[in-house]
Amino acid sequence: MRNRTTDDPSPADLVLTGGRIHTMDSAGGVAEAIAVRAGRIARVGTADEVAPLIGRRTRVVRLRGGSVLPGINDSHLHGVWLGTMWPHLLMDQLAGGDHHRQDGPPQARLETSADRRRAILRTAELLASLGITSYTEPGLGPGEDDGPSGCFGSAALGDYADLAREGLLTARVTALMLFGELDGASSLSGLTEGLRAFTPPADVPGRFRVAGVKIFADGIPPMRTAWTDEPYGDGTHGGLLVEGGDAGEREAALIAMIDAAHAAGHQIGVHATGSRTTRVVAEAFAAVLNRRPGNPGRHYVIHGDLLRAETLATMAAAGIGLNTQAEIAVTTEDMLTAALGPGVLPEAWPLRDALAAGVPLCLSSDAPVLTPDWRAGVAAAVTRRGLDGRVRGEAQRLTVAQALRAYTITPAWQDGAETWKGSLEPGKVADLCVLEADPLETEPAALPQVPVRLTMLNGRIVYEG
Ligand SMILES: [Zn+2]
């Protein structure tokens, strides 16, 4: 590849050499060595090109066939909740797998700042061991201040900001505010009053940022609570969670909520799963982006279980992202077809179609719904193989390279941060995930067994295996 250097010839703090450096740059370039200096990437190139930056005090790591990725970005992960649940996961209970994880007692409610900080730091340690250096905490706010778990209230935003300021947070965190209930009811007045009355903590530059608003539009297809064009077996179509007297009022309220959050300058992530909901949300995003281009947007559909081709086209044209979980696709497809029939399968988790249409695609764990292990997420996106060994949605399989972009540079876009993180290019922050093997040369099903050797955040090693 092209020799890309910065002018500064002074010695690097760290050089990783003799492996495969997957840069995730726009050309998808692969290099042999990378140098880190003062928290930034100093040089990326061949071993010979990087060698001049090795000084007497430079630590040199021989990769020996290993690889380097940009630090992984899990763009939808409930950090406080994960810290209280781990190693228990919700999906294990649903799928009946991993029985040893099911027998934990229900967690006590998080009451104090100390409780929440402990949960956040437990998550941070776990994520560092997985090579994850950024995540989005999708929904903390006044709507859940009295919630039963204490995991989603507004106080956690302050705890995150404190931990970031104290230098204790080993991942960069983007948060979305929640003015309704998690997976529950919300209203236009709740959102507009919340936006007026609630002041989130100030950004901690590069480390913690409250970027916008999370809205729950509908439920999920297996529960017949997703709002669909196609009828469920009992003839119903589900509906929106947003308050309103009838379906028309609820739709109008949802659109008005999107308009209000956009007008206030926020990024918006909307939980939307049914084919009707995803279309209404995509059209509302497109319309408000067109009407009020001052807000840079980067709005996105979360989950998007059912997405029609027209909806994907609307999203691509307006620059609306899709944030989804391939493991939910392979784990719940049978429940989806039980609820809506096999006729919906062509529009179920159409990840390859989304990329082909030009939709910015982010893959995420939704942990603790699923494991925060992104290697399992990549394997699911590439194989579409469930725990029972069956393949679901074969035509929507991604390549490993596509899946890795959905965990690195595209979520950096979602964070509004693609100019300074998400790829391995000189000048960008040194957030790295170092693996013992090359994921592009690994049998996809075996990806979860590739060990993480080292995790670096901003030039600092936060995990070493
Ligand atoms: Zn979630």
Side-chain angles (χ1 to χ4, degrees), residues 76 78 138 214 303 366:
H76 184 104
H78 303 275
K214 166 80 176 284
H303 306 309
D366 203 6

Side-chain angles (χ1 to χ4, degrees), residues 137-193:
E137 172 76 74
L140 299 175
E144 277 284 337
D145 280 350
D146 300 319
S149 70
C151 290
F152 310 102
S154 53
L157 293 168
D159 297 320
Y160 267 115
D162 290 346
L163 288 167
R165 246 191 320 272
E166 293 161 23
L168 297 174
L169 209 50
T170 51
R172 305 178 195 276
V173 177
T174 303
L176 299 180
M177 294 179 287
L178 186 63
F179 294 105
E181 292 167 22
L182 193 93
D183 285 312
S186 61
S187 66
L188 174 58
S189 62
L191 179 87
T192 53
E193 279 160 29

